[in-house]
Amino acid sequence: MVLVLIIVCVLSTILSSLSSEVTNTKHLPQAIIIGVKKCGTRALLKFLSVHPAIAASSTEIHFFDSPKHFPLGLDWYRNQMPIADTKQHVTIEKTPHYFVDKRTPKRLARLLPDVKLILILRDPIIRAISDYVQIKNRHESYPTFDNFVSMENFTKWTPIRIGCYAIYLRRWLKYFPLEQIHFVDGENLIHRPWEELESVQRFLNVSNHIREEDFYFNMEKRGFPCIRQPNGCLGSSKGRQHPTISGQTREKLKHLYSNCNLQLKQLAQIDFPWL
Ligand code: A3P
């Protein structure tokens, strides 16, 4: 009797490990959040990760944009993906640097031509301040934001340059049709995240699982939305306090971005309220 029990136990362990090998596998991504840095890429991925049909990578992979990773090939890339169970038919990663990296669009189009691309954009002035705050956090002696913008060649400064989204989008559109790119309004993701999630879920062809009642606004976190899950708010590196900028700086940036925003509207065929 004991022998029979032992055999049953051993057999069931072997069977369950075999079946988990079959059901829990890593897949190349069906969708990638390609950017833009500081526009809410982490929040979007966190919210999507609660969907039962989505397996979301917890780290930024940096495959297509990295001289170190790219030569390791697609097997390496697949191996960095989260384990997906049978219900999770969409694997997704986010690497915001892809958007501005010159090599990525061509490489991605060659290796994953059908991948769905998600691009989250926000008011470029707020994005620039957010980028600045992140740098300032690491380098205390960094000049003020107003100081930077008062410099002659301020348009070359990376936090400012990235906000002219049309420059980069044009490159992507050489390799991907517009229908393969979904645009998320990063400002609306802060105020009415469920609206953005609804259209992202539709784009990914998954059920409308993440809804308004799944969110709450955390006043201790500058009023940013959190998802009703354990650790449903983003960590301290997101939602940082922003400095006030002068009226002169704001006008200068408005002027700089007005043409970029116009080009973006035409290229992407979007009309977000801040554009
Ligand atoms: P700040 O920290 O400057 O406010 P990314 O994840 O792409 O780096 O973007 C970070 C920005 O996402 C944050 O910049 C914040 O403004 C924004 N954000 C959007 N939704 C958020 C949320 N639910 N919680 C925290 N930050 C959020």
Side-chain angles (χ1 to χ4, degrees), residues 35-44 46-47 60 94 96 120 122 126-127 129-131 133-134 186-187 189-191 193 215-216 221-227 232-242:
V36 175
K37 181 185 176 203
K38 306 315 293 172
C39 287
T41 55
R42 174 57 60 196
L44 180 62
K46 184 174 188 80
F47 299 156
E60 291 179 9
K94 75 130 181 152
I120 170 163
R122 71 183 305 191
I126 306 177
R127 200 219 71 83
I129 300 171
S130 173
D131 213 350
V133 169
Q134 178 157 295
E187 300 301 331
L189 186 78
I190 294 171
H191 303 293
F215 293 95
Y216 67 96
K221 296 270 311 157
R222 287 177 55 215
F224 281 104
C226 303
I227 193 118
C233 298
L234 267 64
S236 57
S237 66
K238 306 288 171 183
R240 291 186 178 116
Q241 201 66 43
H242 287 188

Side-chain angles (χ1 to χ4, degrees), residues 210-273:
I210 309 159
R211 291 158 181 261
E212 183 168 354
E213 55 271 24
D214 296 317
F215 293 95
Y216 67 96
F217 291 88
N218 184 348
M219 290 312 150
E220 283 160 29
K221 296 270 311 157
R222 287 177 55 215
F224 281 104
C226 303
I227 193 118
R228 291 188 198 283
Q229 288 266 322
N231 301 317
C233 298
L234 267 64
S236 57
S237 66
K238 306 288 171 183
R240 291 186 178 116
Q241 201 66 43
H242 287 188
T244 337
I245 62 166
S246 74
Q248 203 186 352
T249 299
R250 188 169 297 280
E251 282 314 307
K252 209 168 167 182
L253 292 182
K254 262 192 189 169
H255 180 71
L256 171 75
Y257 287 132
S258 65
N259 188 32
C260 297
N261 286 352
L262 192 65
Q263 290 178 41
L264 173 70
K265 264 169 108 161
Q266 288 163 352
L267 278 177
Q269 291 169 31
I270 50 170
D271 197 9
F272 297 156

Side-chain angles (χ1 to χ4, degrees), residues 59-125:
T59 55
E60 291 179 9
I61 313 283
H62 289 279
F63 173 62
F64 296 98
D65 59 342
S66 156
K68 190 168 129 216
H69 295 155
F70 190 68
L72 300 175
L74 277 184
D75 281 342
W76 179 89
Y77 186 44
R78 186 188 290 106
N79 210 27
Q80 309 313 306
M81 293 299 150
I83 291 173
D85 65 34
T86 43
K87 290 191 284 341
Q88 294 173 313
H89 58 90
V90 175
T91 291
I92 185 166
E93 73 125 325
K94 75 130 181 152
T95 301
H97 185 247
Y98 288 161
F99 182 61
V100 295
D101 180 61
K102 278 200 176 119
R103 299 154 295 190
T104 296
K106 188 175 180 182
R107 288 178 169 180
L108 190 53
R110 183 162 56 84
L111 295 179
L112 298 177
D114 298 323
V115 72
K116 293 184 181 184
L117 305 175
I118 298 176
L119 186 60
I120 170 163
L121 304 166
R122 71 183 305 191
D123 178 339
I125 303 181

Side-chain angles (χ1 to χ4, degrees), residues 48 50-55 85 87-91 205-207 209:
L48 285 173
V50 308
H51 196 293
I54 296 178
D85 65 34
K87 290 191 284 341
Q88 294 173 313
H89 58 90
V90 175
T91 291
N205 214 5
V206 295
S207 62
H209 178 87

